[in-house]
């Protein structure tokens, strides 16, 4: 008999949420106290809750969080605190995790290619009612497996449309989605099986162009008209961008304006409008503190890399905000002692004085022995940065911790909840509030 072994299933750094102290520590205080030699993931639950609240308040429809982006239970709890009650999942472990935490949450199984057993468990045991598909084979699979459970009812079925290649930072056009003719045929075939019928698409992750949604909605309209059957759900997917040092996206309001206009043009007054944001809700909600283990000219050897939380800094060359943390130089009345304990009554956040010396562009090498474990940046850091210094790397709440592997034995990391603001205030999430109120 074989044994199914799972390594920390969904969330490599899974942290059970606990009752937090009223005042969370700052990143600098934790670094000063612990002087971590492993990557330190710093979750900012208040930032996540606030961002979710803002997005939900601004989006003119239903918002489901794309769990793959960051499935940490503490993150899911923070999103729920911000009002998120619907979750877009792609696998059984994601569905089980969310269901175990939120018995009343709306779960949506949005992977177009599912295992048969996963469909049965989702329908019969986990209360999932929405399934996505992009092929006739998947529709047949859903019909057979849902029927086989004997649990009565009709699912909501959403047909995922293929989009032409856009210019999102992460193009997703090649893998999923039905071309227009097939999509129209699938809508017709799914209609008699579906309680509600829908269309969805994904413009690609970190998509900086609001018109991408307008064009995709126009395509959805063409497909819906060709199908000639009633459609009750229009799901505009994820892809909403956040700021990085080299990318300043338009404010969220610009995206929502295109979505509202594109949705209105479909002339489906009774349809529900859905979105599945991932990155936009959580990117600012975590950072990772790494330590410099060696410097070779303009290259820093750090203790995290592309097989850890910095995957997108590798081949995709994402540039994240960085800052040097150098505890031990005390200001205020707090004293960082030689043992790393912050003594005295001062504000621990003051242990790292603001750096005002010259800066240089650096690249990073990760800890594994693979030459692909390299991050070009460039990352601007103090010219005198040296072995033993720490670097806080921001905007890693999305597609960071969840991508960690155990390659080469570098799977040790710590996780802590902090009260800091995001390193970059996510572009657009303040302006939308005033924009929409006006
Ligand atoms: C990954 C994914 C999302 C979230 O994408 P972001 O770019 O993180 O917003 C939403 N929907 C689907 C189907 C996805 O695969």
């Amino acid at each position: 008999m074989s044994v199914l072994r799972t390594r920390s299933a969904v969330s490599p750094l899974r942290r059970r949420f606990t009752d937090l102290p009223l005042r969370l520590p700052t990143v600098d205080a934790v670094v000063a106290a612990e002087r971590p030699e492993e990557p330190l993931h710093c979750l900012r639950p208040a930032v996540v809750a606030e961002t979710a609240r803002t997005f939900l308040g601004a989006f003119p429809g239903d918002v489901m969080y794309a769990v793959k982006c960051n499935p940490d239970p503490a993150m899911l709890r923070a999103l729920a605190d911000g009002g998120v009650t619907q979750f877009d999942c792609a696998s059984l472990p994601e569905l089980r995790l969310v269901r175990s935490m939120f018995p009343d949450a709306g779960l949506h199984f949005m992977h177009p290619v599912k295992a048969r057993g996963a469909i049965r468990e989702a329908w019969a045991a986990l209360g999932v009612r929405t399934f996505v598909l992009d092929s006739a084979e998947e529709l047949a699979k859903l019909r057979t497996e849902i029927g086989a459970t004997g649990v009565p009812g009709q699912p909501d079925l959403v047909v995922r449309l293929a989009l032409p290649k856009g210019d999102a930072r992460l193009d997703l056009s090649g893998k999923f989605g039905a071309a227009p003719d097939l999509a129209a045929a699938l809508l017709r075939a799914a209609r008699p099986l579906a309680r509600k019928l829908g269309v969805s698409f994904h413009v690609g992750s970190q998509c900086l162009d609001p018109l991408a949604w307008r064009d995709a909605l126009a395509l959805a309209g063409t497909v819906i008209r060709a199908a000639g059957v009633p459609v009750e759900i229009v799901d505009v997917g994820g892809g909403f961008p956040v700021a990085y040092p080299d990318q300043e996206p338009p404010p969220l309001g610009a995206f929502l304006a295109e979505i509202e206009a594109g949705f209105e043009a479909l002339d489906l007054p009774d349809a529900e409008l859905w979105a599945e944001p991932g990155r936009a809700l959580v990117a600012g909600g975590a950072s990772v503190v790494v330590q410099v283990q060696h410097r070779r000219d303009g290259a820093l050897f750090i203790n995290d890399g592309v097989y850890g939380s910095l995957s997108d800094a590798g081949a995709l060359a994402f540039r994240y905000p960085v800052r040097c943390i150098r505890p031990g130089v005390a200001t205020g009345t707090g004293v960082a002692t030689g043992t790393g304990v912050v003594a005295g009554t001062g504000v621990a956040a003051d242990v790292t004085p603001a750096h005002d010396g010259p800066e240089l562009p650096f690249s990073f090498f990760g800890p594994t022995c693979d030459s692909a474990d390299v991050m070009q940046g460039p990352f601007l850091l103090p010219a005198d940065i040296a072995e033993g210094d720490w670097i806080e790397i921001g905007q890693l709440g999305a597609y960071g911790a969840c991508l960690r592997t155990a390659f080469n034995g570098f799977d040790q990391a710590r996780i802590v909840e902090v009260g800091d603001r995001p390193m970059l205030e996510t572009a657009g999430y303040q302006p939308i509030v005033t924009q929409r109120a006006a």
Side-chain angles (χ1 to χ4, degrees):
M1 209 180 84
S2 66
V3 178
L4 181 66
R5 292 195 55 195
T6 48
R7 191 189 135 262
S8 59
V10 193
S11 170
L13 295 180
R14 171 181 300 226
R15 187 197 145 113
R16 298 205 171 274
F17 50 89
T18 49
D19 283 338
L20 296 171
L22 275 179
R23 277 203 60 179
L24 293 172
T26 62
V27 172
D28 289 34
V30 177
V31 173
E34 303 204 4
R35 306 181 76 83
E37 294 199 329
E38 305 85 21
L40 174 73
H41 288 254
C42 301
L43 306 186
R44 292 155 156 84
V47 171
V48 173
E50 176 189 319
T51 310
R53 228 173 270 126
T54 305
F55 196 106
L56 264 66
F59 187 79
D62 297 340
V63 175
M64 45 216 63
Y65 169 63
V67 173
K68 76 167 184 287
C69 188
N70 190 327
D72 190 284
M75 278 296 190
L76 299 177
R77 168 62 55 196
L79 287 159
D81 287 347
V84 173
T85 59
Q86 312 270 332
F87 296 85
D88 158 3
C89 298
S91 66
L92 264 187
E94 285 184 358
L95 291 164
R96 289 182 190 137
L97 170 64
V98 177
R99 180 55 80 220
S100 73
M101 292 181 64
F102 309 112
D104 302 325
L107 299 188
H108 307 274
F109 203 166
M110 302 309 262
H111 196 307
V113 182
K114 293 166 282 297
R116 289 179 179 272
I119 295 169
R120 292 195 300 270
E121 181 175 333
W123 176 261
L126 296 169
V128 176
R129 288 297 171 268
T130 318
F131 296 84
V132 85
L133 62 121
D134 67 359
S135 68
E137 291 85 349
E138 190 74 7
L139 180 60
K141 209 194 267 178
L142 286 162
R143 181 206 317 253
T144 305
E145 301 307 327
I146 288 174
T149 65
V151 176
Q154 281 186 301
D156 296 342
L157 295 177
V158 176
V159 174
R160 170 116 170 225
L161 308 179
L163 296 183
K165 186 170 163 22
D167 56 2
R169 192 73 186 269
L170 279 89
D171 177 47
L172 301 173
S173 62
K175 185 162 182 180
F176 296 126
D181 289 352
L182 174 60
L186 289 173
L187 284 173
R188 280 193 295 271
R191 181 67 272 182
L193 299 177
R195 189 179 65 127
K196 288 187 225 160
L197 186 64
V199 293
S200 74
F201 53 77
H202 196 303
V203 297
S205 202
Q206 184 67 7
C207 178
L208 296 168
D209 181 8
L211 287 173
W213 278 267
R214 183 74 166 261
D215 294 345
L217 281 164
L219 179 71
T222 306
V223 168
I224 292 169
R225 281 190 298 277
V229 292
V231 161
E232 292 99 2
I233 298 163
V234 176
D235 177 355
V236 299
F240 301 93
V242 299
Y244 294 97
D246 56 343
Q247 293 180 42
E248 178 72 27
L252 182 60
F255 296 85
L256 301 186
E258 294 302 337
I259 288 170
E260 274 184 89
F263 182 58
E264 269 167 36
L266 297 181
D267 196 22
L268 299 171
D270 299 328
E272 299 170 16
L273 180 64
W274 294 6
E276 310 163 348
R279 184 188 305 274
L281 298 190
V282 295
S287 61
V288 180
V289 175
V290 302
Q291 193 173 31
V292 179
Q293 296 177 323
H294 177 59
R295 174 172 175 179
R296 191 172 72 201
D297 306 321
L300 302 175
F301 290 72
I302 59 175
N303 60 356
D304 203 8
V306 304
Y307 296 97
S309 62
L310 295 168
S311 175
D312 287 349
L316 295 174
F318 267 71
R319 289 179 59 195
Y320 295 98
V322 292
R323 76 184 174 99
C324 181
I325 303 178
R326 203 173 266 167
V329 188
T331 60
T333 54
V335 180
T337 68
T339 56
V341 177
V342 182
T345 55
V347 181
D350 289 347
V351 289
T352 303
H355 174 81
D356 54 7
E359 293 189 322
L360 285 177
F362 288 91
S363 63
F364 295 158
F365 283 117
T368 72
C369 303
D370 185 343
S371 58
D373 195 359
V374 60
M375 295 142 277
Q376 290 305 341
F379 303 99
L380 273 185
L381 286 159
D384 64 349
I385 193 164
E387 192 250 322
D389 287 339
W390 286 268
I391 301 167
E392 183 179 19
I393 307 176
Q395 298 294 70
L396 275 171
Y399 307 109
C402 59
L403 293 172
R404 297 201 78 86
T405 74
F407 179 47
N408 236 179
F410 293 104
D411 60 343
Q412 301 292 305
R414 300 167 179 230
I415 187 160
V416 67
E417 289 174 44
V418 297
D420 298 64
R421 299 295 306 158
M423 282 179 66
L424 284 182
E425 292 286 340
T426 296
Y429 293 101
Q430 288 319 112
I432 49 166
V433 178
T434 42
Q435 218 171 307
R436 289 182 59 81

